Amino acid sequence: MSEFRTAKGGRICRKTPLNFSFDGQSYAGLQGDSLASALLANGVHFVARSYKYHRPRGIMSAGTEEASALVGIDRGKGRFDTSTRATTQELFDGLKAQSQHCWPSLKFDVGALTALGSPVMSTGFYYKTFMWPKAFWEWVYEPILRNLAGLGRAPKEMDPDNYSSIHAHCDVLIIGAGPAGLAAALAASQSGSKVILVDENNEIGGDLLNCPIAQIDGTNSWDWLAETEKQLASLPNVTILTRTTAFGYYDQNFIGVVQKLSDHLGSLENKPDNKTLRERLWKVRAKRVVLATGSIERPLVFAGNDRPGIMLATAAKTFLNRYGVKVGNRPLVITNHDSAYESAFDLAEAGVEVAAIIDRRAKISSKLVEQAGKMGIEILLGHTIVQTSGKHRVCSVRAAPVGENASIRKIKCDAVLMCGGWTPSVHLFSQSRGTLTWRDDIGAYVPNNYTQDATSVGACNGDFLMSQSLNKGAVAGLEAAVSAGAKAPKSTSYKVVNEALTSDIPVEEIGIFSTIGEGKAFVDFQHDVTAKDIGQAVREGFHSIEHIKRFTTTGMATDQGKTSNLNGLAIASAALERPITEVGLTTFRPPYTPTSFGVLAGYSRGDLFDVTRKSPTEKWAEQNGAVFEPVGLWRRARYFPKTGENMHEAVARECKATRTSIGISDASTLGKIEVVGPDAAEFLNRIYTNPWSKLGVGRCRYGLMLGEDGYIFDDGVVGRLSEDRFHVTTTTSGAPRVFARMEDYRQTEWPELKVWLTSITEQWAVIALNGPNVRKLIEPFVEGIDFSKDTFPHMAIREGMIFGVPTRLFRVSFTGELGFEVNVPSAYGLGVWQRLMEAGKKFDIVPYGTESLHMLRAEKGYIIVGQETDGTQTPDDMGMNWAIGKKKQDFIGKRSLVRSDMLAPNRKQLVGLMTNDANIVLDEGAQIMGEKSNVIPAKMIGHITSSYWSETLQHSIALAIIDGGRARMGEEIYISMPGGFYPARIVDPVFYDPEGERLNV
Amino acid sequence: MLLIDCPYCKEMRPEVEFSHAGEAHIDRPADPSSLSDEEWESFLFLRSNRAGICFERWYHIHGCGRYFNAVRNNVSEKFILTYPAGQKRPSDAQIKGALS
Amino acid sequence: MSHFSLPSLVANALGSNKGWTKQWAKPEPKANYDVIIVGAGGHGLAAAYYLAKEHNITNVAVLEKGWLGGGNTARNTTIIRSSYLRDESARLYDHALGLWEGLAQEINYNLMFSQRGAMALAHTVHDVQALKRRIYANRLNGIDGEWLSPQQAKAFCPPLNISTDARYPVLGAGLQRRGGVARHDGIAWGFARAASARGVHIIENCAVTGINRAPDGSVTGVETTRGTIGAKKIALSTAGNSSMLLDMAGIRTPIECFSLQALVSEPIEPIFPCVALSNSVHAYISQSDKGELVIGAGTEQYFSYSQRGPLHSVEHTVAAICEMFPIFTRLRMMRNWGGTVDVTPDRSPILGLTPVPGLYINAGWGTGGFKATPGAGHLLAFTIANNVPHDISAPFSLKRFQTGNLIDEAAAASVAH
């Protein structure tokens, strides 16, 4: 057993030794240790280097407020956790920890040379230099600065672990399982209220864990804790979550909570397929929240207060009482608050020689003096520390009377325990947007006005005594349960003996700093912000606390100022000669402690990152070698390559087959809406630019939809099934917004119309068949529909059966060939598809995907909304004035079409382009110029919206929008692409079968 | 995540079930063609956008599918009232009543 | 104003850094100014600086209701680029980028402007078309842009996942090498210092409560929490408060305000050498000089002035980052915050005259105003000095919403960064 481990006591398991290593050196610890306590048990204090000056740093706390002792934990491939607080990492057998932010080693760190330049590297120095010569910033200064910064190690490998999330609802959420939280949980759970109790530590108890000598109602505190835990665990309405941090308090009592599940476990590699559930995100909605988040001890700001071995006084007490670890053989205490005496007394009780207690106060209670006297501890009243020594560990301090640099006395020690009072942890309360009020007696802000259904109890509310925590916690728990709807349970009161010491702290004592010579007195230990830095910021005119924070970076490190903010505020207040309450506060923001990206992403990783919508034939396409593309949330087949084919070859083959015999394609992704009711036609009149009243039953029409701003919004074919029933189709990705828009107008603008809408996208599978042989293919399998050319003309819809399955059969074409779109109930989609493929063999039927679809429609000059248009095109721009019902008084967007800029001459209009060189396929997106000119900025007259090699025409074709394009037919224009200017002629956008003869066969 | 009281479902549901649908109580003019460009601009684009009490529309897209109106404080993010579309804009007194 | 340089740092170090003086003066407001700029964000301070420097108008006050640079200047993700689709936008943002490129030397303040490249990822065929279109247009507008294959994108940004079986595979990327990031606070402080040195009054903790008008309708000054202050010309540069201030002059605007969240990770060694943006996966990311990954996405869906947002948006944003950069899952979010952005119907700003004589507006920059800081200030100063819009900003008039000539960047990019 090491000399720093006590003979007895603590909550570690002395029978279970654990091995671990730090920077390659092996050490022994015990089950129940934190990495920090295990290191201290081995006498290791120096574990880290600070951010800016690379100063040696030790372990300055025993909890989540730790700003200095950040290490890397290496758990094998993909499991390296950088900047982990040694104080919150539980020890497990085989744990490998490494120091970080130093090179080549912790002890010999080249980065420490920056300390030599530290007077020049005064706060905010980087705003003032590295500007000359200009080019040096990019190539020299910035890379050096970036390499010096960047505290943690960058990840290199994939993380094998899993993360999960869960929603939870409760009557009372209690955050913090110290005495206040436990008393609240006991009270709130009595009458059956659903209670969730969370605590960031590996066991409940909070401050009770540090106070084994306290007695609650005559019971030893640890026995009381065990009893309480047993009682709460037995209640079905109570959920206790340890290793669980409430990190964010959002609107309407929504709390983000992270539960750590495996960071404390050894050997994860043995798990099946090497996957471990690492963390779970609890998204808790609570009727009431009880904040019992405790308080954080403040460091004192004196010269050299950052050496390894210097820590918060309560940390030493925690290491002793909870972990059985003495933080040194000759610790010294510096304080301005009674509570530090407990640490001194507890250590002395454990046989440690306390070098002295230096108290900044001139007068303290006689009880403390007596007790110290009994234990043989010297007290230096009205003294402070003005300097410390020790390269990698504090070895002595120089003490002097407060306000004097005379009569300096050197005191040897191997640890310094400091206490500058206590700051209630109001982080979550402030995140909930409660407002704070300053309390002079404790020198801190406490909760004042609540904006959400919450209560703060115990130390986080400024009540530091255990008896206050227990009794006020009990009341808060009871009230919370009642306000969440429970019957009034009976009240409880607690009596505590031997509870913690507390004292007032004069406000002028906070953040006060003492130093002689050039010694650095640190405020923010991680970012190396000193008291002088804050003074300098104020001198430079940074007077708002936000400016001071940003200029000095105090409170901006990974601990977000848990130990530094109030000291910084107080020092700023003094420098500004303004009361602390007039200096302001920086905003508390989530998360309370750093929260992994993995747990925030939760299940939304890989295939589950987003919903994937699949059409009924998706599996068939997969089996038949389709290449897919994401379109909105859909996964659509892009093309079906045969062995050895590239995309262009496949598309050429697919298009040729469609033009000469039959192409088959899945169009199920098209949005479909059934519009029903006596006013259905009138409704569509108002939604679309086109007129609908006179559309005959059994006929279809292409419909164009605008926004109120007059720009094209969506399009699709609409079929009239009966007088009062329309089958509307939309674009694939536009379907949800079209439906929402229709519902919006129906419900809110025209509630008088008798019309009902149903989204039927998922109800109908749509198989598009195109090509001269299509009628021959399907006619034999269709019942109840007359297929003759005249009775079932182009742009018509019929209902009947195909392969014995009900169908809505559209005769429409997006390819310019004879086309049918076979709508069948989705469940039959794949079956019908397979039968059509089978029956189509004799016609050499070929499946095609979106790429050929786009190619075939481009040959016909059909637009795709979102490709030819980008949200700024009018119907006239697209040459589609024919789609506007001239006699209609109104439709969505009509009024906007007559605004001056919409009628401006020379708007960009849709045209076709034929390249002079038939083989040049233009780049989509390439810009068009009226002349070959290398002047920049160039005059661009339009751009290529679609461009393909047309197998049918044996010529490249393109669609474009060009300034005043329709009046420029035949003109030669130039497309600027890599390689030069490519000439092309402006032509009609319909390249193939302009008379539409192929449609009417 | 906001909790929204759908006046049709008569239930508090989480924000992810809803989509926001812009400012409330902007009626589409009965005859847009008769409006001047200024008037049409006002309908199309000009908005109140005040900090504090705002009137807004929500669409219960993953719920009942209904559009409705809400009065909300956009600084505190607290809902004050929700009510069916078409209902008159609540008076200051009604809002005050709901707040107390 | 003392000159900042390495020698000045050394000299001050020898004096224990006690010799530094205020970076900007803190005068009491005068009764009258030639020009009042409301809002001491980066844009407003830049306008004051350029008024003094280029138009010799130094009798200027910048009024700020809180601390200078405390609005969106302090809250953004600092992305700078000029790769905008529309000719008007491209000219506007490239004007700003051109100013960024010599600014640190000009105002003697290191803005840590890092032209590490802004790379927009394409995940769908539609993204490819849209990005290529933008690159073609940019190049002919004199703005650098290049298309990268997935392999080239990965070489440029090694943490990128280019696996073809990703839910949204990377099909390529558009890169503007001149794009990058800068230090957000630095630009506000640097302009404040430079403007103050030229005699501009910067008055913090001075909220404007009214705009005073002459019988002919022209402005005569403002009412503030520190009293009445007269001015011949008033410019509003108050993102997140624009509608309320214009309201004081009886002007209704096509602006709506939303919360926009951002977050940073704990600082790590350099790993992310550029800015990456994705419309389809919906997030953007860069790494700060300090080593934090700086991450953001789109606005919240509902109107807000709360400067905060819900957790589920953060979950989505982080999931999007982990989708594109899956090795980041063990990194930790250190801080998450929100700001209030002005959003216009076409996602383009409003910069120019108003119907009220002597009143000028700079607003509606949406989620991407930081990159425009020097440009917006420069053009606003020109507009104030000459009472006519600059050629570059003329298309961004308030009038366009009436005539219909919108400059729609929204159609081209759903995440306007």
Side-chain angles (χ1 to χ4, degrees), chain A residues 251-252 254 285 433 451 708-709 739-740 743-745 747-750 889-892 895-896 899, chain B residues 1-3 26 28 31-33 35-37 40 44-45 57 59 65-67 75-78 85:
Chain A
D251 292 318
Q252 287 161 294
F254 184 92
R285 184 82 71 171
R433 281 199 284 200
T451 61
E708 287 286 14
D709 58 9
F739 185 77
E743 275 294 345
D744 189 357
Y745 279 84
Q747 292 178 31
T748 68
E749 297 295 348
W750 310 316
Q889 176 67 26
D890 190 24
F891 54 82
I892 293 174
R895 174 62 185 81
S896 286
R899 292 178 300 164
Chain B
M1 194 188 305
L2 303 177
L3 272 181
I26 299 171
R28 189 171 189 272
D31 181 13
S33 303
L35 301 185
S36 67
D37 281 354
W40 184 242
L44 268 187
F45 296 131
R57 299 176 342 117
Y59 176 34
R66 302 296 290 272
Y67 283 81
V75 179
S76 72
E77 310 292 22
K78 291 203 174 190

Side-chain angles (χ1 to χ4, degrees), chain A residues 711-712 869-874 877 907, chain C residues 86 133 406 408 411:
Chain A
Y711 296 125
I712 292 172
T869 70
D870 64 11
T872 61
Q873 281 72 35
T874 66
D877 296 343
R907 284 185 63 87
Chain C
R86 311 280 171 197
R133 176 182 170 197
L406 303 187
D408 199 334

Side-chain angles (χ1 to χ4, degrees), chain A residues 793-838:
Chain A
H794 180 56
M795 296 306 270
I797 177 173
R798 297 288 180 269
E799 290 179 278
M801 306 285 271
I802 184 166
F803 296 112
V805 172
T807 182
R808 287 180 179 175
L809 191 57
F810 284 73
R811 184 173 164 190
V812 291
S813 172
F814 199 43
T815 60
E817 299 300 326
L818 172 64
F820 289 92
E821 286 185 0
V822 181
N823 285 246
V824 291
S826 290
Y828 296 109
L830 180 58
V832 170
W833 173 280
Q834 284 169 326
R835 282 173 201 216
L836 287 167
M837 286 302 298
E838 188 59 34

